[in-house]
């Protein structure tokens, strides 16, 4: 009886990709490229540059597959490579500017706005893009990627206080924009 | 607490909304990536080949170097830049200098060379057999005129000193005698002829003569112009005697 293997696991694909098998590399690319393009797009406003950075990120992925330990998530590993590559690009272009000022107790001064949870992804991406690069990067790393302030500080080469300050300001701006949007859309005061 | 919840709330909204979002990858994206991967492989191969080439070059250089040094002659050489006195005996060679003293333990039937550098001149004294080394050279003053210097020398010693100058190819000689057919003269035969000729005047008495006289006597006895010996051999002998006597005189 002939058994046809319908499902090839990531592990097998990764092992074949390490051996430089183009078919395995293409399958991994097809599977993860759309998600990774979205990751890059969060940090890079220009979609073409974001895609170019994603391809360069995949180059890094395929040329350093040997170092992947099969303990954690492969997607998480690729995502981290993509994020680091985008941040390197921003730092090289000197787009990351951080203003180091932090209120004594940032949480107490945050605006107290009701947030409508049903926000459109495109709208959220739009207001994210409007943030200054420093605010945006710290907010994304903290809120979406789940980094701690210590990790953010190490990744971006800033202090933890600067990271907290950027996050605080980013949140306030985002909240105020969501509030305005809610007012326009639903007439909520 | 309320603000914390608000913060978490907004973070969650963005996380939930953006995390699952997927972008639309352009059609030619994979082809571009494939091209980049191919290019990377080519560069990697070139880099590897270059490394192999360098490694092979270094290995060859090392091999040639080791071979060169291991195959160089094992002759012992002493180089003295500045010295006042050189003393040679049958068991050892000891050189006294105003700066250092060097000593070589008994030479076991090996050819040794002593190079003496003084006033830009080099004197090479080949010694084949330590048992014959009865030559004693004393160098005291460079300003003494050559023809006033004397040397104690025996025929065998003189022959021993000359031997190294004759290469392997010249160790068999052709005697060009119009009265007889050309024939090969072995080294041993030549040695005995030379010893006999030189001993005729010097060996029996071991007399002291000056350098110029020694040369003149040898020339007379051997008759360089009319000797039956090969000219090149005679040339070497003559040159060696001249060199020896001049060097001894200038260094005495």
């Amino acid at each position: 009886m002939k058994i046809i293997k319908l499902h090839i696991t990531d592990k097998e694909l990764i092992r074949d990709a390490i051996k430089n098998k183009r078919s395995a590399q293409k399958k991994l690319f097809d599977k993860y490229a759309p998600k990774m393009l979205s990751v890059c797009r969060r940090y890079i406003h220009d979609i073409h540059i974001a895609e170019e950075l994603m391809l360069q990120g995949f180059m890094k992925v395929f040329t350093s597959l040997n170092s992947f330990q099969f303990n954690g998530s492969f997607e998480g590993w690729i995502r981290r490579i993509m994020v680091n590559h985008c941040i390197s690009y921003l730092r090289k272009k000197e787009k990351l500017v951080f203003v180091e000022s932090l209120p004594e107790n940032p949480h107490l001064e945050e605006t107290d706005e009701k947030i409508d949870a049903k926000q459109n992804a495109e709208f959220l991406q739009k207001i994210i893009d409007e943030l200054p690069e420093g605010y945006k990067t710290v907010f994304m790393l903290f809120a979406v990627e789940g980094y701690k302030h210590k990790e953010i500080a190490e990744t971006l080469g800033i202090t933890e206080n600067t990271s907290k300050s950027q996050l605080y300001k980013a949140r306030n701006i985002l909240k105020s924009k969501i509030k305005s949007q809610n007012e326009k859309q639903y007439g909520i005061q | 607490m309320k603000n914390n919840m608000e913060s978490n709330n907004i973070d969650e909204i963005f996380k939930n909304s953006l995390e699952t979002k997927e972008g639309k990858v352009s059609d030619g994206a994979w082809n571009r990536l494939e091209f980049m991967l191919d290019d990377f492989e080519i560069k990697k191969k070139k880099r590897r080949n270059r490394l192999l080439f360098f490694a092979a070059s270094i290995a060859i250089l090392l091999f040639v170097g080791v071979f060169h040094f291991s195959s160089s002659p094992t002759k012992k050489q002493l180089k003295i830049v500045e010295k006042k006195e050189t003393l040679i005996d049958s068991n050892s060679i000891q050189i006294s200098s105003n700066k250092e003293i060097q000593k070589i333990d008994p030479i076991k039937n090996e050819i040794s060379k002593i190079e003496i550098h003084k006033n830009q001149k080099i004197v090479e004294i080949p010694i084949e057999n330590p048992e014959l080394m009865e030559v004693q050279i004393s160098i005291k003053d460079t300003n003494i005129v050559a023809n006033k210097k004397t040397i104690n020398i025996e025929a065998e010693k003189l022959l021993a000193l000359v031997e190294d100058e004759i290469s392997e190819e010249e160790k068999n000689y052709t005697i060009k005698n119009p009265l007889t057919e050309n024939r090969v003269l072995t080294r041993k035969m030549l040695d005995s002829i030379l010893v006999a000729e030189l001993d005729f005047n010097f060996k029996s008495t071991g007399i002291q003569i000056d350098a110029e006289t020694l040369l003149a006597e040898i020339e007379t006895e051997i008759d360089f112009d009319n000797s039956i010996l090969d000219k090149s051999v005679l040339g070497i002998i003559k040159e060696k005697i001249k060199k020896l006597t001049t060097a001894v005189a200038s260094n005495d």
Side-chain angles (χ1 to χ4, degrees):
Chain A
M1 191 177 140
K2 196 175 180 183
I3 298 170
I4 300 170
K5 210 172 185 179
L6 295 174
H7 180 67
I8 301 172
T9 62
D10 269 7
K11 221 171 187 177
E12 289 168 275
L13 283 175
I14 293 163
R15 285 198 177 122
D16 285 345
I18 289 171
K19 293 171 192 165
N20 253 339
K21 287 188 179 173
R22 285 283 182 269
S23 57
Q25 288 173 338
K26 188 175 185 314
K27 278 176 188 165
L28 286 173
F29 177 81
D30 289 341
K31 184 176 180 180
Y32 293 106
K35 281 182 188 172
M36 294 310 132
L37 180 61
S38 175
V39 170
C40 293
R41 175 66 186 82
R42 283 176 217 157
Y43 298 89
I44 310 294
H45 183 68
D46 187 322
I47 183 68
H48 300 294
I49 297 173
E51 189 176 87
E52 189 59 36
L53 290 173
M54 179 202 70
L55 293 179
Q56 290 171 7
F58 267 104
M59 267 296 290
K60 282 189 181 177
V61 167
F62 289 137
T63 53
S64 54
L65 262 182
N66 277 322
S67 63
F68 175 67
Q69 310 290 318
F70 289 86
N71 306 327
S73 147
F74 182 60
E75 187 180 328
W77 186 71
I78 302 180
R79 185 188 288 263
R80 211 167 177 92
I81 289 175
M82 296 294 170
V83 169
N84 287 338
H85 191 56
C86 290
I87 288 168
S88 297
Y89 169 82
L90 291 172
R91 291 181 76 174
K92 213 180 281 177
K93 293 282 174 188
E94 294 176 351
K95 286 186 175 178
L96 283 178
V97 182
F98 302 97
V99 182
E100 295 197 31
S101 64
L102 182 68
E104 285 182 9
N105 190 343
H107 295 301
L108 293 175
E109 292 187 19
E110 280 183 355
T111 53
D112 186 13
E113 299 292 341
K114 288 182 179 177
I115 307 295
D116 180 4
K118 293 175 184 174
Q119 293 294 336
N120 179 290
E122 292 303 319
F123 169 71
L124 292 179
Q125 182 65 59
K126 183 176 170 289
I127 59 173
I128 281 282
D129 288 339
E130 287 168 359
L131 286 174
E133 293 292 342
Y135 295 0
K136 180 168 78 176
T137 307
V138 171
F139 179 78
M140 282 304 200
L141 288 175
F142 187 90
V144 183
E145 308 300 340
Y147 282 44
K148 304 292 176 200
H149 281 299
K150 196 181 174 187
E151 287 177 282
I152 295 171
E154 283 169 5
T155 307
L156 301 178
I158 55 175
T159 63
E160 283 188 49
N161 269 353
T162 307
S163 174
K164 285 174 187 170
S165 159
Q166 304 292 304
L167 180 66
Y168 155 79
K169 286 171 183 172
R171 275 174 179 163
N172 269 356
I173 293 171
L174 291 172
K175 277 178 191 173
S176 112
K177 287 194 174 178
I178 290 172
K179 187 191 166 197
S180 309
Q181 175 67 11
N182 286 344
E183 285 172 358
K184 280 182 196 170
Q185 203 168 350
Y186 310 110
I188 299 169
Q189 291 295 317
Chain B
M1 179 66 82
K2 189 181 177 184
N3 282 310
N4 253 340
M5 283 176 69
E6 286 291 337
S7 301
N8 291 340
N9 186 19
I10 195 168
D11 290 357
E12 283 297 315
I13 290 169
F14 276 89
K15 188 176 169 68
N16 293 337
S17 174
L18 297 178
E19 204 173 36
T20 51
K21 196 182 168 201
E22 292 191 352
K24 190 180 181 310
V25 181
S26 65
D27 294 337
W30 167 251
N31 289 337
R32 280 153 61 202
L33 179 63
E34 199 175 18
F35 178 79
M36 287 159 74
L37 286 167
D38 290 341
D39 192 49
F40 176 81
E41 285 300 315
I42 291 166
K43 283 178 182 168
K44 197 175 163 185
K45 274 182 188 170
K46 277 184 183 174
R47 210 179 310 132
R48 194 168 45 204
N49 288 343
R50 212 177 299 138
L51 278 171
L52 279 172
F53 174 77
F54 281 125
S57 304
I58 290 167
I60 289 168
L61 281 173
L62 281 172
F63 177 76
V64 169
V66 168
F67 180 77
H68 173 75
F69 285 111
S70 64
S71 64
S72 61
T74 55
K75 290 179 182 178
K76 293 177 181 175
Q77 291 194 346
L78 282 179
K79 291 190 177 180
I80 304 124
V81 174
E82 191 177 349
K83 72 193 73 51
K84 291 292 179 187
E85 192 170 335
T86 302
L87 193 66
I88 303 169
D89 61 39
S90 60
N91 292 323
S92 66
I93 299 171
Q94 186 172 351
I95 295 107
S96 302
S97 164
N98 58 349
K99 288 188 175 177
E100 59 181 359
I101 295 172
Q102 292 179 306
K103 185 174 180 179
I104 294 178
D105 282 329
I107 305 163
K108 296 170 183 173
N109 292 325
E110 289 177 354
I111 297 171
S112 296
K113 279 189 177 181
I114 299 173
E115 290 181 9
I116 302 171
H117 302 256
K118 194 166 186 179
N119 296 337
Q120 306 289 315
K121 291 177 181 175
I122 297 171
V123 179
E124 290 189 6
I125 306 171
I127 304 156
E128 189 173 58
N129 190 339
E131 289 173 3
L132 296 176
M133 293 196 325
E134 294 169 15
V135 181
Q136 192 175 70
I137 305 166
S138 295
I139 305 168
K140 291 174 184 174
D141 190 353
T142 57
N143 295 325
I144 301 170
V145 183
N147 61 12
K148 290 184 181 174
K149 300 302 110 204
T150 59
I151 180 169
N152 282 330
I153 195 158
E154 291 178 10
E156 281 182 341
K157 286 177 249 166
L158 180 62
L159 184 60
L161 296 176
V162 173
E163 275 179 345
D164 269 6
E165 286 294 303
I166 303 167
S167 68
E168 287 295 326
E169 292 172 4
E170 292 167 329
K171 283 188 176 176
N172 290 325
Y173 311 99
T174 302
I175 300 171
K176 292 174 183 172
N177 190 336
L179 301 174
T180 62
E181 287 181 8
N182 286 357
R183 64 187 178 89
V184 172
L185 182 66
T186 64
R187 175 61 182 273
K188 202 169 181 179
M189 291 163 69
L190 174 66
D191 289 353
S192 62
I193 292 166
L194 281 170
V195 169
E197 287 198 343
L198 294 168
D199 278 359
F200 181 76
N201 274 331
F202 306 118
K203 192 180 180 181
S204 58
T205 58
I207 54 169
Q208 287 195 336
I209 54 167
D210 66 73
E212 288 298 324
T213 309
L214 172 64
L215 181 59
E217 288 290 337
I218 290 167
E219 281 183 344
T220 307
E221 288 300 316
I222 294 178
D223 191 5
F224 285 95
D225 293 328
N226 300 312
S227 173
I228 60 168
L229 295 174
D230 191 274
K231 294 288 181 195
S232 62
V233 180
L234 292 172
I236 291 167
I237 294 168
K238 194 173 176 183
E239 184 59 33
K240 189 64 195 174
I241 292 166
K242 271 186 183 174
K243 255 168 92 177
L244 179 66
T245 51
T246 308
V248 171
S250 63
N251 286 291
D252 200 347

